[in-house]
Amino acid sequence: MYGYNGKIAVVDLTTRTIQEKPLTPEEAQKFIGGSGLGAYYLVSHFRRYSKGTAIDPYSPENPLIVTIGPYTDTPVPCSGRHAVVTLSPLTGIFAESDIGGSWGVAFKRSGYDGLIITGCADSPVYILVDEGQVSIHDATQYWGKDTFETYEDLKKATGGEVTCIGPGGERLVRYASIMSDGKDARAAGRCGVGAVMGSKKLKAIVAKGNKRTSVWNKQNLVELVKSLIPQIRQGNAGMTRYGTSGGVLTHESYGNFPLQNWRLGRWPEGVEKISGQRMEQTILVGRYYCHGCVIGCGRKIQIREGKYKGVEGAGPEYETLGCLGGMCLIDDLEAIAYANELCNRYGIDTISTGNAIAFAMEAFEKGLINEHDTGGVKLTWGNAEAMVEMVRQIGERVGFGKVLGEGVRKAAESIGGLAMEFAHHVKGLEFPAHDPRAFNGVALAYATSNRGACHLQAFTHPFERVVKIPELGYEEPHNRLAVEGKGEFVAKLQNLMSMVDSLKICKFVFNGGIQVSHLTAWLNSITGWSMSPEEFMETGERLFTLKRMFNVRYCGVSRKDDTLPPRSLTHKRIGEGVTVNLPPLGRMLSDYYEYRGWDEMGIPTKEKLETLGIADLF
Amino acid sequence: MYGYNGKIAVVDLTTRTIQEKPLTPEEAQKFIGGSGLGAYYLVSHFRRYSKGTAIDPYSPENPLIVTIGPYTDTPVPCSGRHAVVTLSPLTGIFAESDIGGSWGVAFKRSGYDGLIITGCADSPVYILVDEGQVSIHDATQYWGKDTFETYEDLKKATGGEVTCIGPGGERLVRYASIMSDGKDARAAGRCGVGAVMGSKKLKAIVAKGNKRTSVWNKQNLVELVKSLIPQIRQGNAGMTRYGTSGGVLTHESYGNFPLQNWRLGRWPEGVEKISGQRMEQTILVGRYYCHGCVIGCGRKIQIREGKYKGVEGAGPEYETLGCLGGMCLIDDLEAIAYANELCNRYGIDTISTGNAIAFAMEAFEKGLINEHDTGGVKLTWGNAEAMVEMVRQIGERVGFGKVLGEGVRKAAESIGGLAMEFAHHVKGLEFPAHDPRAFNGVALAYATSNRGACHLQAFTHPFERVVKIPELGYEEPHNRLAVEGKGEFVAKLQNLMSMVDSLKICKFVFNGGIQVSHLTAWLNSITGWSMSPEEFMETGERLFTLKRMFNVRYCGVSRKDDTLPPRSLTHKRIGEGVTVNLPPLGRMLSDYYEYRGWDEMGIPTKEKLETLGIADLF
C-alpha cells in the first residue's frame, strides 16, 4: 500500500507481549493516519474494553496510541510530525497531541504506521522499534533523568531516534508532555499524554530503520511540491527570522496575547522585553528545523552570563512567552527562557504550566491562597523567581506544585470559593495564548474542540486576520469579530485541520497559501488514490465527528460542555487598539451545530454518522 | 412609629419560647419591610449562627421569616400581601416568596411587623399570633390534612386567618408552598418555603387582631390613592375579566409561552383550548380578590361534570397553564384545573411541578427514564392523565414523585447523562412561564435574580413590551430584543421591585401607570418620612444588593452562577411571529455588573456596600 507500511504494532506492557495487525486500505482511506487513525483505534479499543463509560486514564486499559501519516517520510515539506492519542488524565476526554522533530520519520522507516500500547509495566521500560521488530527493554537506569539526558543517553545506547518523558510524566503531572529531539526540543505538550506514558512506566520509545516509504508517483509529487516551496518560505519569512515568538508584539497590539490571567488589555512595555525581536538581539544563536521543514521556526538560544547562565538549546515559543510571560506579567526574557528549559527537561506543557502559575498568582492576590499554602513563595504578579520556583515544584510534583500539577480545573476545585471564576480552561484543558475575545472563531473553536481549549484543532486565527482560503469559500480572511457565518467557518476549518493532523503536516504551510487541492493532490500522488477535494473535506468531517462521538459516548460530552469560562464571556478588556468584544457564544454554537447537522444538544445525529460511514462504531 | 407596629416576634420551636424585639425606625427606613426586612434578619441570623457558609435548609438553625410592610393594612390598593424569607431547600440560596390574600393584613392587625421562627418542634404545631400574644399549639389533628381542609378547620377553631402547608410541605417536597385563603387559594409558591415550614413541623400560622395600623397623614394618602384607582382598574381590565390566564394567547403568539420543555416555537391550536378566554366560556363562575385589591385577578371555577367533576375554587393562573399545560403539551383545560387544585391542596408550586413533569416527559422521550422508573406511567407529551398522576406522586412524595420532588436540578443529576441538557433552572429554581429568548431583559433577570430563575424580582417583561416608566428614563417600553442598555434597565427594575416586595404591594399596579413618585408619596404619607424618589430607588438598590451579598457570602454565588441553561442560549425556536433570538448573556451581564458597580466576578465592591450603608453586615 503506497504511503503506508500497512501494519500496526500492538504492545501489551503488562504481559510484555507484542502483536501486529494490518492497517487495511479501507481503514487508511477512511481514517488517513495521525490523530484520525488514532481516534479510530481509540474508539475500537473502548468498544471492546469499556462498559460505555470512560476508563481511568491511568489504568492499564487506557491505550497510548502513536501514529504517523501518509505524508511522513515523503517529499511533502514540513511533514516531520507524529501524533499521540489517548484518554487524557487532564481532561478526562479524547486526547490528541501533535509533535514535530525527527522521531516520526524514524518510526515510519521502522516499518509501522502506528503503535497501540496498553497495560502497565511493573518496572521502567522503553520500547525499541527496529525495522519490523518491536522489543521491550529495561529502563531503570533512565528513570528519573530529564528528557535531554534521556534523549542523549538512549540515542547513544540504541542508535535510534528517541521520544521520551521526564520526571513530570513519571510523577503523573496531569499535563506532562512527551519530548523529542533533546535540546532541539519538540513536545507532544497538550492533554497530559506524558502522564499516561508515565502511568505505564514507559520511559521512552526508540525508533530506527531504513525502510523507505513507497510513493505512488514520486516524480509528480516532487513537481507538485517544488513549485510551492518558495511561497511557503515567503509566507513564513517572519517565522524563519523570529520564530513563533515574532508574533508577540503583533498579537499583543490588538488584544490577542494573554495578560495577567486573561484580565489585562494591553502591556506594551512588558511584551517589548520578551518579544522574538528582542530575543534576536540578545540570546538567539541560531534556529532548528523539524525533519523536512523549509521554515525553521525553532529557536536556538544561549544565556552566557547572569543568573540563568548555562541555558542552552530551544528558546521559548510564542505560546510559552504568553503563558509563562504575559500571563504572569513577567518581562524577564532570560527567566522565561530558563523556565522553558525546565519545562522541556521535566517534560511538562509550558501552556498549562504558565496558566496554572498565573491562576495561582490571581488566587494569591485575592487571598484564596497564601504563603502558608505555597511554602513561602510569594506568588505576586511579575515575580520571575516565584514563577521559576513553581515550575520546579510542578515538574517535580512537590509542595504547591502538587496542587498546580493537577491542572487549573482541579486546582480551582480544591481551592474552592471564587477560584472557579478565573480558572481558564475548556473541558479541563488550559487556554493557549490566544484570547477568545480577540477572535470569535477562536472562542467557538475553544468551546467545541475535541480536546478542550485549543487553537490548533481549528487553527482559525490566521484565517480570521491574514490568511485567505478561497477553496473553502473565503476569498478574504473571515472578519475576526464577525458572528454571521462563524459556525460554518469554524466547522470547515476543524474538518480541514482534522485532515492536516492525520496526514501529518505542519499548519504553517497555510501561511504560504496552501489550499485544499494542494493537500489532496499530494495525498493522491503518494497513495495512488483519486480523492477529490470534496471527499478530502468529507474525510476531515468524518475524523472530527469520530472524535466528538468518542467524547459523547464515553465521556458524557454534549452542548453543556461546549462553553467558555465566565471571564471570557463577560470581562471587557480596555486598551488602545483592543476592540471590546464579548463573543456571543450561544448564537455561534447554534449556527455551528446546525451547519454540522448535529442535534440541538450538540450530538451528531444517526443520519450524520451513517453519511460519514461511522455509524457502526457507535 | 407610623406604618409599623415596631416589633417582631422571635419564636424558637425547639424550646417553645417566644421573644419580642423592637423594629427600630432606623431599621424600618433602611430595610422597609417585606422581603427587604426579611433579608436583613436572615443576614443578621447567619452572621450569628453560621460559620460563613450556608447551613442545612432543613436544620433548626435555618430561620423562617415572615414579614409584612408599611403599605399593609393601609388604604394603598392591592397591598394585601406578605413575604416569606428563608434559606431555600430547592436552591440552597436566598429564598423569598411573595403571597397575596388576607393573612398579611390579619397579621399586621395582630401587632407585629414580622415573625422569625427558628428551631424544630418535636411534634406538629401551629403558631397563633393574637393581638400582641404569640403562642404555640398542638397541630397533630391537622397534620396530613390538605391546605383547604386545614384552612377551614383552623379558621373555625381559632377565628383567625390561616396560612399553612399541606402534605407537600410536611413531606419535604423541595418546592412545597405555603398557602393562604383556602379555596380562594393564594400561594407563597416559590423556593420551597413550605418545606422549611414542614421541616420545623409547623403546620400553620394563624393571625388575628384588631390593632389598626397608624398612618401619618391618612387623608393625604386617601387623596393620593383615590385619583389613581381608576387608572389601575383600567390598565388591568383584561386581568379583571380573564385573570392572568388572559395572557396565554398573546404570550404564545410571539414566543413567550413555554412549550414542550422550552423546545417548541408555536402551538396555537393547543393554547386556544386552555386560554383565559376559553376558561371564561366554560368553567369560570366568578372572581376573587386579595385584601384591598381593585383588580380581582383570582379565578373562581367549577367543574360540574366529566372526569374532573367536583373541582371548585381557584382556577389555574397563567403560570400554571404554562407549566402544567404548554410545557407538557397538554390542552385539556379541565385536567389542568384539576392538577392545579391538587397542587393547591398538597401545597406544591405549580411552576416547579409543571417544569419537573415536562422535564420528565423529555427524559422519557429520550429513553433516559422508562416505565420501569415511573411505575408504569407513560410520560408522553400531551398525556393529561400521566401529568395528573405525577402531580399526585410529587404531592405525596411517592414513586417517581420522589425524584421529581427534588426539583429539576437534582432530578437531572440523579438521572445523569444528557438530562442536564434540558433541566431548565437557574441556581436550582425552575423557570416560570416566560421564555428568556422572548425578552433579553427576562434572560438577564433570570440569570441575576437573587432567588434563581424568576420573572417577578425584576418584572421586566411588561416594561419591555407594553408598560412605560418614564420616571426611570423609559418614555417607551425598552425593546424586548435590545441588548444595548439592557443591563441598566434590568438593574433599575430589580431595585424598584425590591422596594415593591418590601412595601408589599401587587406589581399589577404598574399596568395602571404607577410611577416611582406615587409609591414614594404613599410611603411618606404613611410613615411621615420625607424620602425622595432617588432615595426610594437607592433603598431598593440596598435591598437587592443585601440579598446578593447573602448569596455571595453564605452560598458561594458569583458570576459563574449567573447563567442560563444551554437550551435558552443556543436553541432557536421557529414559528410564525416568533423572532429568533438567542440572548447574548455575556455582554448583558458585563454591562449589568458595570452599572451596578460590582466587580468583574459579580461581587458588590466594598465601596458599593459602604455607599449603601450595609458594609458592616459583611
Side-chain angles (χ1 to χ4, degrees):
Chain A
M1 182 166 45
Y2 293 108
Y4 293 88
N5 285 304
K7 65 179 181 177
I8 299 287
V10 183
V11 180
D12 184 330
L13 290 174
T14 304
T15 58
R16 303 207 178 200
T17 52
I18 291 116
Q19 291 180 300
E20 282 187 4
K21 67 173 190 176
L23 169 65
T24 68
E26 294 70 32
E27 288 172 328
Q29 284 209 33
K30 253 178 121 163
F31 305 108
I32 305 298
S35 67
L37 188 62
Y40 166 64
Y41 290 138
L42 190 71
V43 167
S44 305
H45 185 88
F46 267 68
R47 273 164 63 80
R48 219 171 309 151
Y49 296 104
S50 114
K51 294 191 175 64
T53 53
I55 56 188
D56 177 1
Y58 290 149
S59 73
E61 286 74 31
N62 188 22
L64 185 81
I65 299 162
V66 185
T67 47
I68 34 99
Y71 282 2
T72 317
D73 191 33
T74 70
V76 170
C78 309
S79 62
R81 308 190 75 76
H82 66 279
V84 184
V85 169
T86 188
L87 179 73
S88 167
L90 180 62
T91 63
I93 63 169
F94 176 79
E96 65 177 275
S97 204
D98 176 66
I99 169 169
S102 314
W103 191 89
V105 171
F107 180 73
K108 194 155 190 186
R109 291 182 185 170
S110 80
Y112 294 96
D113 296 308
L115 274 176
I116 301 174
I117 305 162
T118 61
C120 289
D122 50 7
S123 64
V125 294
Y126 72 89
I127 292 172
L128 175 65
V129 189
D130 185 355
E131 218 169 320
Q133 289 289 325
V134 180
S135 50
I136 301 168
H137 301 266
D138 177 53
T140 312
Q141 61 178 307
Y142 305 106
W143 201 254
K145 290 193 175 178
D146 74 32
T147 66
F148 290 5
E149 296 165 335
T150 306
Y151 176 83
E152 293 300 333
D153 294 356
L154 258 175
K155 188 164 190 175
K156 202 176 290 173
T158 62
E161 271 302 327
V162 177
T163 193
C164 66
I165 59 170
E170 293 175 12
R171 297 178 186 188
L172 307 182
V173 175
R174 285 190 190 270
Y175 42 86
S177 55
I178 304 175
M179 303 294 296
S180 290
D181 289 40
K183 287 203 166 188
D184 291 352
R186 287 292 158 194
R190 308 235 67 197
C191 304
V193 291
V196 174
M197 206 159 146
S199 76
K200 298 189 175 311
K201 287 214 161 46
L202 177 61
K203 180 67 177 173
I205 311 172
V206 184
K208 57 192 289 197
N210 293 299
K211 192 170 177 306
R212 290 307 299 262
T213 301
S214 60
V215 170
W216 178 68
N217 190 338
K218 192 161 188 173
Q219 198 188 335
N220 179 245
L221 176 63
V222 170
E223 269 167 32
L224 288 175
V225 158
K226 213 168 50 184
S227 63
L228 294 164
I229 287 178
Q231 76 187 61
I232 294 174
R233 281 192 210 278
Q234 200 189 335
N236 283 289
M239 207 63 93
T240 303
R241 179 162 178 191
Y242 298 116
T244 55
S245 59
V248 169
L249 293 179
T250 311
H251 290 309
E252 191 276 340
S253 71
Y254 66 91
N256 186 37
F257 194 71
L259 298 171
Q260 203 185 29
N261 203 27
W262 308 98
R263 230 161 66 183
L264 206 62
R266 291 290 315 272
W267 193 45
E269 69 284 11
V271 291
E272 192 270 322
K273 295 182 196 159
I274 60 171
S275 66
Q277 289 74 358
R278 176 60 70 93
M279 204 187 309
E280 190 193 40
Q281 295 158 10
T282 53
I283 56 178
L284 192 74
V285 293
R287 72 176 69 90
Y288 62 91
Y289 295 76
C290 294
H291 180 96
C293 176
V294 298
I295 302 166
C297 73
R299 300 293 91 181
K300 275 193 179 161
I301 59 156
Q302 198 174 28
I303 301 180
R304 294 198 184 86
E305 53 193 304
K307 201 194 288 184
Y308 303 108
K309 185 176 165 180
V311 170
E312 196 190 343
E317 306 233 13
Y318 170 83
E319 298 295 328
T320 307
L321 291 161
C323 297
L324 292 172
M327 283 282 280
C328 303
L329 291 189
I330 285 168
D331 61 3
D332 180 339
L333 180 59
E334 296 194 352
I336 298 169
Y338 177 62
N340 177 57
E341 182 170 310
L342 283 183
C343 287
N344 289 341
R345 285 181 179 269
Y346 285 124
I348 54 175
D349 179 28
T350 59
I351 297 177
S352 290
T353 303
N355 268 275
I357 297 171
F359 161 79
M361 285 179 170
E362 184 158 357
F364 194 89
E365 173 201 278
K366 294 192 156 56
L368 301 172
I369 58 169
N370 56 35
E371 287 180 59
H372 177 79
D373 301 297
T374 64
V377 180
K378 286 196 179 64
L379 278 173
T380 48
W381 300 109
N383 185 342
E385 275 183 36
M387 181 273 286
V388 167
E389 172 59 17
M390 273 302 131
V391 169
R392 189 190 68 76
Q393 291 193 12
I394 293 168
E396 298 184 4
R397 208 165 168 221
V398 297
F400 198 64
K402 281 188 218 165
V403 176
L404 297 184
E406 295 291 284
V408 299
R409 180 171 63 183
K410 283 179 196 275
E413 284 165 4
S414 71
I415 292 169
L418 279 182
M420 299 300 293
E421 284 287 348
F422 51 86
H424 275 254
H425 69 87
V426 174
K427 303 182 177 81
L429 189 67
E430 290 79 11
F431 277 28
H434 299 274
D435 198 304
R437 291 161 293 191
F439 294 91
N440 282 339
V442 170
L444 184 56
Y446 281 10
T448 60
S449 152
N450 287 311
R451 68 176 187 178
C454 175
H455 63 302
L456 293 167
Q457 304 253 296
F459 199 56
T460 61
H461 65 280
F463 299 92
E464 295 187 84
R465 211 174 57 91
V466 184
V467 182
K468 302 163 190 175
I469 188 150
E471 286 189 9
L472 293 185
Y474 304 100
E475 300 283 345
E476 294 298 326
H478 201 257
N479 186 314
R480 64 191 176 90
L481 303 180
V483 175
E484 190 70 38
K486 204 57 103 177
E488 177 175 340
F489 168 78
V490 168
K492 280 179 172 173
L493 281 177
Q494 286 173 331
N495 295 346
L496 174 58
M497 297 307 156
S498 294
M499 283 302 281
V500 169
D501 285 326
S502 299
L503 298 162
K504 299 320 298 173
I505 182 169
C506 177
K507 285 165 192 164
F508 291 162
V509 299
F510 292 111
N511 292 334
I514 295 304
Q515 298 292 315
V516 176
S517 58
H518 298 131
L519 297 173
T520 312
W522 301 347
L523 180 60
N524 289 337
S525 291
I526 292 168
T527 57
W529 302 341
S530 47
M531 196 179 255
S532 68
E534 292 69 33
E535 287 164 335
F536 182 98
M537 289 302 297
E538 199 197 30
T539 306
E541 185 186 2
R542 176 184 307 122
L543 303 182
F544 190 86
T545 309
L546 176 66
K547 298 168 192 174
R548 175 73 172 187
M549 276 306 297
F550 174 85
N551 283 337
V552 166
R553 180 56 54 90
Y554 298 105
C555 313
V557 165
S558 62
R559 170 180 58 182
K560 68 188 182 309
D561 307 293
D562 296 344
T563 187
L564 290 171
R567 180 169 285 165
S568 304
L569 295 170
T570 68
H571 179 56
K572 295 172 191 157
R573 294 158 312 140
I574 309 297
E576 199 192 325
V578 179
T579 309
V580 170
N581 180 53
L582 297 170
L585 186 61
R587 156 106 194 265
M588 296 194 291
L589 267 179
S590 182
D591 294 347
Y592 172 88
Y593 296 146
E594 205 172 304
Y595 177 77
R596 279 215 172 280
W598 295 358
D599 74 13
E600 171 222 336
M601 302 187 298
I603 314 290
T605 59
K606 183 99 183 142
E607 296 70 43
K608 176 53 81 179
L609 299 183
E610 272 161 7
T611 308
L612 295 172
I614 50 174
D616 56 327
L617 291 174
F618 297 98
Chain B
M1 181 166 47
Y2 292 108
Y4 294 88
N5 286 305
K7 65 179 181 178
I8 298 288
V10 183
V11 180
D12 184 331
L13 290 175
T14 304
T15 58
R16 304 206 178 201
T17 52
I18 290 116
Q19 291 180 301
E20 282 187 5
K21 66 172 192 177
L23 168 66
T24 69
E26 294 70 32
E27 288 171 327
Q29 284 212 33
K30 253 178 121 162
F31 305 108
I32 306 297
S35 67
L37 188 63
Y40 166 65
Y41 290 137
L42 190 71
V43 167
S44 305
H45 185 87
F46 267 68
R47 273 163 62 81
R48 218 171 310 150
Y49 297 103
S50 116
K51 293 190 176 65
T53 52
I55 55 187
D56 176 2
Y58 289 149
S59 74
E61 286 75 30
N62 187 22
L64 185 82
I65 299 162
V66 185
T67 47
I68 34 94
Y71 282 3
T72 316
D73 191 34
T74 71
V76 170
C78 308
S79 61
R81 308 191 74 77
H82 66 279
V84 184
V85 170
T86 189
L87 179 72
S88 167
L90 181 61
T91 64
I93 64 171
F94 176 80
E96 66 177 274
S97 205
D98 176 66
I99 169 169
S102 315
W103 189 89
V105 171
F107 180 74
K108 195 157 189 184
R109 291 181 185 171
S110 80
Y112 294 96
D113 296 307
L115 275 177
I116 301 174
I117 304 162
T118 62
C120 287
D122 50 7
S123 65
V125 295
Y126 72 88
I127 293 173
L128 175 66
V129 189
D130 186 356
E131 217 166 323
Q133 288 289 325
V134 180
S135 50
I136 301 168
H137 301 266
D138 177 54
T140 312
Q141 62 179 303
Y142 305 106
W143 201 253
K145 289 194 176 178
D146 74 33
T147 66
F148 290 4
E149 296 165 334
T150 306
Y151 177 84
E152 292 299 333
D153 293 357
L154 258 173
K155 188 163 190 174
K156 200 175 292 173
T158 62
E161 270 304 326
V162 177
T163 191
C164 65
I165 59 171
E170 292 176 12
R171 296 178 186 188
L172 308 181
V173 175
R174 284 191 190 271
Y175 41 86
S177 54
I178 304 175
M179 304 293 298
S180 289
D181 288 40
K183 287 202 166 190
D184 290 351
R186 288 292 158 194
R190 310 237 64 200
C191 304
V193 292
V196 173
M197 204 158 147
S199 75
K200 299 190 175 310
K201 286 214 160 47
L202 177 61
K203 180 68 178 174
I205 310 172
V206 183
K208 58 192 289 198
N210 293 300
K211 192 171 175 306
R212 291 305 300 260
T213 301
S214 61
V215 169
W216 178 67
N217 189 337
K218 193 161 188 171
Q219 195 187 337
N220 180 243
L221 177 63
V222 169
E223 270 166 32
L224 287 175
V225 157
K226 212 168 49 185
S227 63
L228 293 164
I229 286 177
Q231 74 186 62
I232 294 176
R233 282 193 209 276
Q234 199 187 336
N236 284 288
M239 206 65 92
T240 304
R241 177 161 180 193
Y242 298 116
T244 55
S245 59
V248 169
L249 294 180
T250 311
H251 290 310
E252 192 274 341
S253 71
Y254 66 93
N256 185 38
F257 194 72
L259 297 171
Q260 203 185 28
N261 203 26
W262 309 97
R263 232 161 65 184
L264 206 62
R266 292 290 314 272
W267 193 46
E269 71 282 13
V271 292
E272 192 271 322
K273 297 182 194 158
I274 60 173
S275 66
Q277 289 73 359
R278 176 62 69 96
M279 204 187 309
E280 189 192 40
Q281 295 158 11
T282 53
I283 56 178
L284 192 75
V285 293
R287 72 175 69 89
Y288 61 90
Y289 295 74
C290 294
H291 179 97
C293 176
V294 297
I295 302 167
C297 73
R299 301 292 93 180
K300 275 195 179 161
I301 60 159
Q302 198 174 27
I303 301 181
R304 294 197 185 86
E305 54 193 303
K307 201 193 288 183
Y308 303 109
K309 184 176 166 180
V311 170
E312 195 190 346
E317 305 234 11
Y318 170 82
E319 298 294 328
T320 307
L321 292 161
C323 297
L324 292 171
M327 283 283 278
C328 303
L329 292 188
I330 286 167
D331 61 4
D332 179 339
L333 180 60
E334 296 194 352
I336 298 169
Y338 177 60
N340 177 58
E341 181 169 309
L342 282 183
C343 287
N344 289 341
R345 285 181 180 269
Y346 285 124
I348 54 175
D349 179 28
T350 60
I351 297 178
S352 290
T353 302
N355 269 274
I357 296 171
F359 161 79
M361 285 180 170
E362 183 158 357
F364 194 89
E365 173 201 276
K366 293 192 157 55
L368 300 173
I369 58 170
N370 55 36
E371 287 180 59
H372 177 79
D373 301 298
T374 63
V377 180
K378 284 197 182 62
L379 277 173
T380 48
W381 300 109
N383 186 340
E385 275 183 36
M387 181 273 285
V388 167
E389 172 59 15
M390 273 302 130
V391 169
R392 188 190 67 76
Q393 292 192 12
I394 294 168
E396 298 183 4
R397 207 165 168 224
V398 296
F400 198 63
K402 282 188 216 164
V403 176
L404 297 184
E406 294 291 284
V408 298
R409 180 170 63 181
K410 282 178 197 276
E413 284 166 3
S414 71
I415 292 169
L418 280 182
M420 300 299 292
E421 284 288 348
F422 51 86
H424 274 254
H425 69 86
V426 174
K427 302 182 178 81
L429 189 68
E430 290 79 11
F431 278 27
H434 299 274
D435 199 304
R437 291 162 293 192
F439 294 91
N440 282 339
V442 170
L444 183 57
Y446 280 10
T448 59
S449 152
N450 286 312
R451 69 176 188 178
C454 175
H455 64 301
L456 292 168
Q457 303 254 297
F459 200 55
T460 61
H461 66 279
F463 299 93
E464 293 186 86
R465 214 174 56 91
V466 185
V467 182
K468 303 164 191 175
I469 187 147
E471 286 190 10
L472 293 185
Y474 304 99
E475 299 284 345
E476 294 298 327
H478 201 257
N479 185 314
R480 64 191 176 91
L481 302 180
V483 176
E484 191 70 39
K486 205 56 103 174
E488 177 175 339
F489 168 78
V490 169
K492 280 178 172 172
L493 281 177
Q494 284 173 332
N495 294 346
L496 174 59
M497 296 307 156
S498 295
M499 282 303 281
V500 169
D501 286 326
S502 299
L503 298 161
K504 299 319 299 171
I505 182 170
C506 177
K507 286 166 191 162
F508 291 161
V509 297
F510 292 110
N511 292 335
I514 295 305
Q515 299 292 314
V516 176
S517 58
H518 298 131
L519 299 173
T520 312
W522 300 347
L523 180 60
N524 288 336
S525 291
I526 293 167
T527 58
W529 302 341
S530 47
M531 199 180 256
S532 68
E534 292 70 32
E535 288 164 333
F536 183 98
M537 288 303 295
E538 199 197 32
T539 306
E541 186 186 1
R542 176 184 307 121
L543 303 182
F544 190 86
T545 309
L546 175 67
K547 299 168 192 173
R548 175 72 173 189
M549 276 306 297
F550 175 85
N551 283 337
V552 166
R553 179 58 53 89
Y554 297 105
C555 314
V557 165
S558 62
R559 169 181 58 182
K560 67 187 184 309
D561 307 294
D562 296 344
T563 188
L564 291 171
R567 180 169 286 165
S568 303
L569 295 170
T570 68
H571 179 56
K572 295 171 190 157
R573 294 158 311 138
I574 310 297
E576 199 191 325
V578 179
T579 309
V580 171
N581 179 52
L582 298 170
L585 185 61
R587 157 106 193 266
M588 295 193 293
L589 268 179
S590 182
D591 294 348
Y592 172 88
Y593 296 146
E594 206 174 301
Y595 177 76
R596 279 216 172 279
W598 294 358
D599 75 13
E600 170 222 337
M601 302 188 298
I603 314 291
T605 61
K606 183 97 184 143
E607 295 70 44
K608 176 53 79 178
L609 299 183
E610 272 160 6
T611 308
L612 295 172
I614 50 174
D616 57 327
L617 291 175
F618 296 98

